[in-house]
């Protein structure tokens, strides 16, 4: 249960302690009941919002779900070794001044998992049915649209391994090529409203998704093949020391199912996705990711890039992070953070978060902690941007921690976990 309410629409703007808080235009109120069985799960949810910005039009405000019920099932060995899949959802969407109504979505499928020590193959076939009962539609529009779509997929891969060493220690290196073919026939879904559906962000995991959209208002047509390759280095006890992955989708037909006012994509392939995650030893770890679009410009364009180097000691007392994030035309940022003890009683805290694209500080944080076995006192000063302009908020937080008894003052732990990327 999560209930949020403010009596003043400007409360978060005036008193919020981060850009993520001050920029909120809606406060969520949600009650959920979940159950998980051996091979099935249930979610029942009621979700509403308090609007904090009266200037937002109807299409800019989220829909309430009053209620939403979801059931997911995955039962193996149903018939001849097949696995039964079922995703089903009912939701009642409400928003004043907009189309609203009920949506039923049913997605049953059968798959046949086949595998041995060095290979696996899983063919799958299913059908998806989505139906609506709508109110307040425009004149002439269908108030009960529906769509029936089919799906066929084939997911397979190989697993090779060899003995190697990793920084002088015995290890095993794997080579894992993977192929994923997806076929979803084109269906006319333009008469279906958009209640909770958007285009999913791209990444390595999304190379193997059955639907490029989130939500059930769109089921993306597809005739495509994903080719991917992953290599891992595993330690003697099986822990993953290094993982490197590369993959890309090849489209055999243009995609016709889109969101409203979005063009039909006609590129012959997706962006090339590369990911790297490596343990460097002695508490150091690095992560990096890259998405390169070969169809943008003469030499292609890097759509997204991210890299992070972290250090955390065994006692989790020392922490350091250096991160870089790029999103073409949107963000270009560096992020440095550290929590570092000078001795057994004193720890220093700092963060510097900077936008290279706009050449301005996004957030700076500096603090100190002093204490002994039974108590600590903390002080943190923060300066962070308050919006898209040049306005900044500056504040000081104080906290007294009495181990085993409680804490007095503001929650600095939450500030550090939210403010220093990767800190726990």
């Amino acid at each position: 249960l999560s209930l949020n309410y403010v009596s003043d629409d400007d409360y978060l703007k005036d008193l919020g302690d981060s850009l993520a808080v001050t920029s909120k235009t809606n406060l969520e109120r949600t009650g959920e009941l979940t159950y998980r069985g051996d091979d099935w799960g249930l979610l029942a949810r009621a979700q509403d919002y308090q609007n904090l910005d009266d200037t937002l039009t109807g299409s800019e405000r989220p829909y309430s779900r009053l209620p939403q019920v979801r059931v997911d099932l995955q039962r193996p060995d149903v018939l001849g070794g097949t696995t039964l899949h079922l995703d089903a959802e009912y939701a009642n969407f409400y928003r004043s001044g907009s189309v609203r109504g009920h949506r039923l979505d049913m997605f049953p499928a059968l798959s046949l998992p086949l595998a041995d020590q060095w290979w696996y193959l899983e063919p799958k076939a299913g059908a998806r049915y989505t139906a609506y009962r709508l109110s307040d539609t425009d004149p002439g529009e269908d108030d009960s649209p529906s769509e029936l779509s089919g799906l066929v997929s084939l997911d397979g891969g190989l697993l090779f391994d060899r003995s190697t060493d990793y920084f002088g220690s015995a290890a095993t290196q794997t080579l894992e090529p993977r192929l994923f073919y997806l076929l979803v026939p084109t269906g006319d879904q333009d008469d279906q409203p958009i209640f909770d559906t958007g285009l999913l962000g791209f990444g390595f995991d999304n190379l193997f998704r059955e639907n490029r959209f989130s939500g059930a208002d769109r089921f993306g047509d597809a005739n495509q093949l994903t080719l991917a390759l992953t290599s891992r280095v595993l330690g003697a006890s099986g822990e993953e020391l290094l993982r490197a992955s590369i993959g890309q989708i090849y489209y055999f037909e243009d995609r016709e199912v889109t969101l409203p006012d979005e063009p039909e994509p006609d590129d012959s392939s997706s962006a090339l996705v590369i990911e790297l995650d490596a343990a460097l030893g002695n508490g150091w770890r690095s992560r990096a990711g890259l998405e390169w679009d070969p169809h943008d410009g003469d030499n292609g364009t890097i759509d997204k890039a991210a890299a992070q180097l972290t250090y955390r000691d065994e006692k989790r007392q020392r922490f350091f992070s250096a991160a870089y994030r790029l999103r073409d035309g949107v963000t270009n940022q560096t992020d440095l953070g550290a929590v570092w003890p000078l001795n057994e009683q004193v720890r220093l805290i700092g963060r510097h978060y900077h936008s290279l694209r706009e050449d301005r500080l996004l957030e700076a944080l500096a603090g100190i902690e002093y204490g002994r076995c039974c108590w600590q006192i903390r002080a943190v000063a923060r300066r962070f941007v308050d919006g898209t302009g040049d306005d900044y908020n500056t504040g000081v937080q104080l906290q007294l921690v009495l181990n085993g008894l409680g804490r007095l003052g503001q929650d600095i732990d939450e500030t550090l976990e939210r403010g220093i990327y990767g800190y726990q």
Side-chain angles (χ1 to χ4, degrees):
L1 185 68
S2 176
L3 299 178
N4 301 280
Y5 171 77
V6 293
S7 59
D8 179 359
D9 288 349
D10 294 327
Y11 177 86
L12 297 179
K13 184 186 300 182
D14 294 339
L15 300 178
D17 61 356
S18 70
L19 179 60
V21 175
T22 59
S23 61
K24 279 189 176 181
T25 56
N26 296 281
L27 279 181
E28 183 181 5
R29 305 159 179 175
T30 302
E32 291 185 2
L33 175 66
T34 60
Y35 176 81
R36 174 59 59 183
D38 292 336
D39 50 20
W40 70 284
L42 170 70
L43 166 67
R45 172 190 290 148
Q47 183 181 43
D48 194 14
Y49 296 90
Q50 179 187 359
N51 178 32
L52 305 182
D53 189 350
D54 293 335
T55 65
L56 295 180
T57 62
S59 61
E60 296 173 316
R61 291 182 282 112
Y63 275 95
S64 299
R65 290 185 273 201
L66 304 169
Q68 177 190 23
V69 180
R70 293 183 56 184
V71 176
D72 63 270
L73 180 145
Q74 184 169 308
R75 180 163 295 172
D77 297 326
V78 175
L79 179 64
T82 60
T83 298
L84 173 64
H85 308 261
L86 175 63
D87 293 323
E89 180 194 46
Y90 162 78
N92 177 30
F93 294 93
Y94 177 82
R95 185 174 67 189
S96 60
S98 300
V99 175
R100 59 184 186 270
H102 308 265
R103 185 184 70 195
L104 176 66
D105 183 58
M106 303 286 291
F107 190 6
L110 279 175
S111 67
L112 180 61
L114 305 170
D116 205 339
Q117 292 183 347
W118 59 277
W119 64 273
Y120 65 90
L121 185 68
E122 184 172 5
K124 183 177 181 180
R128 187 167 191 173
Y129 176 71
T130 307
Y132 297 82
R133 182 71 67 182
L134 304 176
S135 303
D136 291 342
T137 57
D138 292 334
E141 290 189 353
D142 189 358
D143 61 1
S144 56
S146 63
E147 177 66 21
L148 177 63
S149 302
L151 173 144
V152 175
S153 68
L154 182 66
D155 191 3
L158 303 174
L159 175 61
F160 305 100
D161 62 77
R162 68 184 181 95
S163 298
T164 185
D165 66 89
Y166 190 76
F167 291 100
S169 300
T172 300
Q173 181 186 10
T174 71
L175 191 64
E176 308 169 31
R178 182 178 178 184
L179 177 151
F180 178 70
Y181 175 74
L182 177 65
L183 176 63
V184 178
T186 300
D188 185 5
Q189 303 169 36
D190 292 340
D191 56 351
Q192 298 179 185
I194 302 297
F195 286 142
D196 62 352
T197 298
L199 190 64
L200 287 168
F202 199 66
F204 189 78
D205 291 340
N206 288 349
L207 297 175
F208 310 98
R209 288 186 179 273
E210 296 174 344
N211 189 11
R212 60 182 177 271
F213 298 101
S214 64
D217 300 314
R218 292 292 185 270
F219 191 34
D221 56 324
N223 185 6
Q224 63 192 48
L225 177 68
T226 297
L227 298 179
L229 180 66
T230 297
S231 181
R232 309 174 200 266
V233 175
L234 308 176
S237 58
E239 72 275 17
E240 186 177 85
L241 303 176
L242 182 144
R243 182 182 72 255
S245 300
I246 184 171
Q248 191 173 23
I249 302 175
Y250 296 90
Y251 303 108
F252 303 120
E253 296 179 0
D254 293 342
R255 282 78 65 212
E256 299 182 8
V257 177
T258 63
L259 296 172
D261 301 323
E262 290 290 331
E264 295 181 4
D266 57 2
D267 293 335
S268 59
S269 63
S270 72
L272 182 71
V273 183
I274 302 173
E275 290 187 352
L276 177 68
D277 189 341
L280 304 178
N282 298 320
W284 290 92
R285 192 169 194 97
S286 65
R287 297 179 177 87
L290 178 72
E291 294 179 19
W292 176 70
D293 185 356
H295 307 288
D296 190 1
D298 295 335
N299 300 313
T301 299
I302 297 177
D303 287 337
K304 295 179 184 178
Q308 184 188 22
L309 177 68
T310 60
Y311 170 79
R312 183 180 286 110
D313 65 358
E314 294 182 357
K315 296 182 179 180
R316 306 180 73 86
Q317 296 296 316
R318 292 178 172 85
F319 175 81
F320 169 79
S321 171
Y324 172 77
R325 291 182 287 273
L326 168 69
R327 186 175 177 186
D328 184 41
V330 180
T331 58
N332 188 4
Q333 303 168 347
T334 60
D335 196 348
L336 300 174
V339 178
W340 208 266
L342 296 180
N343 52 48
E344 293 184 357
Q345 286 80 38
V346 180
R347 285 203 308 171
L348 298 181
I349 302 164
R351 185 200 189 193
H352 186 271
Y353 184 26
H354 186 78
S355 172
L356 299 175
R357 182 170 182 262
E358 301 165 336
D359 192 21
R360 67 166 178 163
L361 178 72
L362 298 178
E363 181 175 8
L365 183 152
I368 188 170
E369 175 186 291
Y370 177 83
R372 298 183 182 274
C373 63
C374 300
W375 62 273
Q376 292 91 35
I377 187 168
R378 299 168 174 169
V380 172
R382 295 180 66 231
R383 179 174 173 81
F384 60 94
V385 65
D386 193 24
T388 57
D390 296 327
D391 294 334
Y392 285 86
N393 276 344
T394 303
V396 176
Q397 293 178 265
L398 296 173
Q399 185 181 44
L400 174 64
V401 180
L402 303 175
N403 291 340
L405 295 177
R407 306 179 181 189
L408 301 175
Q410 295 168 300
D411 191 347
I412 291 182
D413 279 335
E414 181 181 353
T415 299
L416 298 182
E417 290 184 359
R418 184 176 62 242
I420 300 180
Y421 185 60
Y423 173 76
Q424 295 179 346

